[in-house]
Amino acid sequence: MTDVRNMIAKNIAGMLHDGDFVNLGIGIPTLVANYIPDDIDVILHGENGFAGQDKELPITGIHKDVETYKAWLNTHGGEQTDHLSGEGHRDLINAGGFYITLLPIASCFDSSVSFAIARGGHLDVTVLGGLQVDICGNLANWMVPGKKINGMGGAMDLATGAKKVIVAMEHCTKDGKPKILEQCEMPLTAIGCVDVVVTELCIIEIKDRKLIVTAMAPGITREELKEKTGAPLTFAETVQTMEGV
Amino acid sequence: MKNKVVGIEEAISHIKRGDTVMFGGFGGYGTPNNLVQEIVRQNIGDLTAITEDFSDGYKPFEMGLTALLSHKLVKKAVMSFAGGQPRVTEQVFSGELEIELTPQGTLAERIRAGGSGIGGFYTPVGVGTVVAEGKETRVIDGKTYLFEKPLRANVSLVKAYKADTFGNAIFKYDSISFNPLVAMAGDIVIMEVEKLVQPGDIPPDRVQLPGVFIDYIVVQEEVAP
């Protein structure tokens, strides 16, 4: 399972270019950061108000009780630590709620600037999780009707505004149903927004209501892929082989 | 000039039962958590809350904005993200809480509009989704947009790192989030700060939130979870 998620992340990282300004959503998209090739620099945007994340910090043990946590907060704020130290600062988190460090080129800004970036076409790429994607490039990723109230957070803004939207998701649901469909059934996040879908089985580009398979995982047959997809597939002239982890 | 620096009890007493209250912060971080706890202590209910979320950034403890739900002080929320906030689901399903879900960037812009004298704006975000239900759409240069209205509050609660006694404030890192927007859109604006300094200590060109928006300042050196 972990390997499936990491494989998807690694293949998406391979699509990024030097200098790209990128937002990574929560879930599989977060893992993409671990696979960005060493020879390129990518600037990571956080919807809560930064550009230029360096690392997520593995800070553990501070939540064991209220007193321990209060003590940590009150020794990791103000000028006590900074964005480079790696000790963590209580006012520096990413959208997933992890403490982070920032690169020297980083900047922080308020939510209206952050979403001007998202909505205004300033992001080269946004990578989002998905529940369903369809042949029109519609994306559903924020709500399963009748279940928990989730809220869309920044997903609608990011999906609408980024120059390129990559969806990172497992090819089928846990009970084996296709998630790539003729038409999404779940509430939409944005219409016609998806450029590329990356699953553990294949990479699909969506263009003019066509699902074009550009790469497949090793060992998968075209027949198997068609069976597991809820809409007709077109295969590119050259279908590449996806990278494993 | 009026002294803006007051005790926490006096500051929060300006919120009345049934008020609309707007909160800065994101995911429990950059949230005026001491002010929130004082609302709970004074048991001010029937509130309409405008907030990005009700997260306690400090899981597994139930604190931060989620305390307002635990004490059943909120009847309606205009909000964006409810993931990992079981109280929201519980109270929506039980009928105790009404919510209006708003895309996060739209929420930020609605608050900014409310504080800037703008009567609303057209955004492409939400077109073709449930967010568009009941809203005017308009095609501008071939692209479809939704009309979104501004948001204002009776009282805005914000959190800054450092401010002078006039309220000129600066923030640490991304704790800025919704805070300066929220500070512009409330009839009464209360700011929690960690450090209080004298006028002139923050150079004018380093001020991130002008003190002209601020009515009351509450100094809380210890951050509350």
Side-chain angles (χ1 to χ4, degrees):
Chain A
M1 188 63 138
T2 307
D3 272 347
V4 164
R5 295 162 62 87
N6 281 305
M7 179 193 170
I8 295 169
K10 187 176 181 184
N11 279 275
I12 291 172
M15 297 175 182
L16 303 178
H17 303 98
D18 190 40
D20 275 354
F21 190 16
V22 178
N23 183 290
L24 302 176
I26 295 168
I28 301 174
T30 307
L31 301 172
V32 172
N34 301 335
Y35 294 99
I36 295 169
D38 289 338
D39 58 344
I40 67 168
D41 290 319
V42 166
I43 301 134
L44 295 178
H45 170 253
E47 68 184 30
N48 53 319
F50 64 81
Q53 174 180 320
D54 189 2
K55 292 190 167 56
E56 272 188 10
L57 297 171
I59 292 172
T60 53
I62 61 175
H63 295 114
K64 69 177 182 196
D65 56 60
V66 177
E67 290 315 310
T68 305
Y69 197 57
K70 272 190 183 172
W72 189 90
L73 289 173
N74 284 302
T75 49
H76 292 77
E79 312 294 338
Q80 291 163 328
T81 60
D82 68 20
H83 60 286
L84 300 168
S85 74
E87 290 171 54
H89 189 289
R90 68 173 179 238
D91 290 330
L92 183 52
I93 55 154
N94 62 14
F98 291 97
Y99 294 104
I100 58 169
T101 54
L102 295 175
L103 296 167
I105 53 116
S107 54
C108 295
F109 32 77
D110 72 47
S111 300
S112 83
V113 174
S114 189
F115 282 91
I117 287 168
R119 192 194 307 104
H122 305 282
L123 288 170
D124 295 299
V125 178
T126 189
V127 185
L128 292 163
L131 293 167
Q132 295 178 335
V133 172
D134 69 26
I135 57 169
C136 296
N138 297 329
L139 169 67
N141 83 342
W142 69 281
M143 184 189 181
V144 182
K147 295 273 176 73
K148 286 181 294 190
I149 307 278
N150 260 325
M152 66 290 283
M156 288 189 177
D157 309 84
L158 289 161
T160 304
K163 285 188 194 128
K164 183 173 187 175
V165 175
I166 301 176
V167 173
M169 66 178 193
E170 284 165 50
H171 201 87
C172 295
T173 62
K174 286 198 183 81
D175 42 6
K177 294 205 180 86
K179 295 169 75 172
I180 301 170
L181 306 168
E182 298 243 19
Q183 194 174 3
C184 289
E185 293 148 1
M186 291 191 193
L188 296 181
T189 306
I191 52 172
C193 64
V194 180
D195 297 293
V196 184
V197 184
V198 180
T199 76
E200 76 281 19
L201 302 183
C202 67
I203 299 174
I204 293 175
E205 284 181 17
I206 303 181
K207 252 186 218 143
D208 307 324
R209 299 173 66 92
K210 281 203 177 71
L211 303 174
I212 305 157
V213 178
T214 60
M216 284 166 63
I220 302 290
T221 64
R222 291 185 180 197
E223 281 60 43
E224 208 177 328
L225 193 58
K226 285 178 188 168
E227 264 172 46
K228 290 180 172 174
T229 308
L233 296 173
T234 306
F235 290 84
E237 249 174 62
T238 321
V239 176
Q240 312 279 337
T241 304
M242 289 173 74
E243 278 190 80
V245 275
Chain B
M1 199 158 32
K2 187 182 96 174
N3 177 25
K4 296 183 180 183
V5 182
V6 297
I8 193 165
E9 188 175 344
E10 184 194 331
I12 292 303
S13 72
H14 291 281
I15 305 175
K16 304 279 175 291
R17 189 173 192 83
D19 270 356
T20 296
V21 183
M22 204 180 268
F23 299 86
F26 173 100
Y29 300 86
T31 304
N33 284 325
N34 284 297
L35 300 182
V36 170
Q37 288 187 5
E38 183 63 17
I39 295 177
V40 172
R41 203 188 66 76
Q42 294 189 23
N43 196 35
I44 308 168
D46 276 331
L47 300 175
T48 295
I50 301 174
T51 175
E52 204 284 321
D53 57 69
F54 283 94
S55 298
D56 42 54
Y58 310 119
K59 288 181 187 73
F61 323 117
E62 186 172 79
M63 295 173 179
L65 227 57
T66 211
L68 296 177
L69 295 182
S70 311
H71 291 82
K72 308 207 168 178
L73 299 176
V74 183
K75 64 167 192 240
K76 185 181 174 188
V78 181
M79 63 184 299
S80 182
F81 187 64
Q85 300 156 52
R87 293 276 183 215
V88 175
T89 297
E90 267 168 46
Q91 296 191 4
V92 169
F93 285 176
S94 70
E96 292 165 284
L97 177 68
E98 181 195 340
I99 56 169
E100 178 185 337
L101 288 171
T102 303
Q104 194 181 152
T106 299
L107 181 66
E109 210 58 23
R110 289 180 71 190
I111 295 169
R112 194 168 80 112
S116 312
I118 306 282
F121 56 91
Y122 290 93
T123 173
V125 177
V127 169
T129 76
V130 293
V131 170
E133 285 170 13
K135 287 179 188 151
E136 178 202 337
T137 57
R138 182 168 164 185
V139 178
I140 303 170
D141 294 339
K143 188 170 169 178
T144 306
Y145 295 81
L146 282 188
F147 183 70
E148 293 280 1
K149 288 166 73 172
L151 286 168
R152 283 194 62 86
N154 300 108
V155 183
S156 284
L157 303 184
V158 301
K159 161 79 201 299
Y161 163 52
K162 190 194 278 187
D164 65 26
T165 53
F166 184 65
N168 291 313
I170 58 172
F171 302 87
K172 266 292 176 196
Y173 301 121
D174 53 18
S175 69
I176 185 170
S177 62
F178 280 81
N179 280 299
L181 309 169
V182 163
M184 295 191 293
D187 297 338
I188 297 172
V189 182
I190 306 169
M191 179 165 68
E192 172 180 334
V193 302
E194 293 168 32
K195 272 193 171 30
L196 186 70
V197 296
Q198 292 308 308
D201 288 351
I202 302 171
D205 56 1
R206 291 293 175 273
V207 171
Q208 290 174 287
L209 171 62
V212 292
F213 295 115
I214 307 300
D215 296 299
Y216 300 103
I217 301 165
V218 174
V219 185
Q220 296 282 296
E221 286 174 14
E222 296 257 308
V223 296

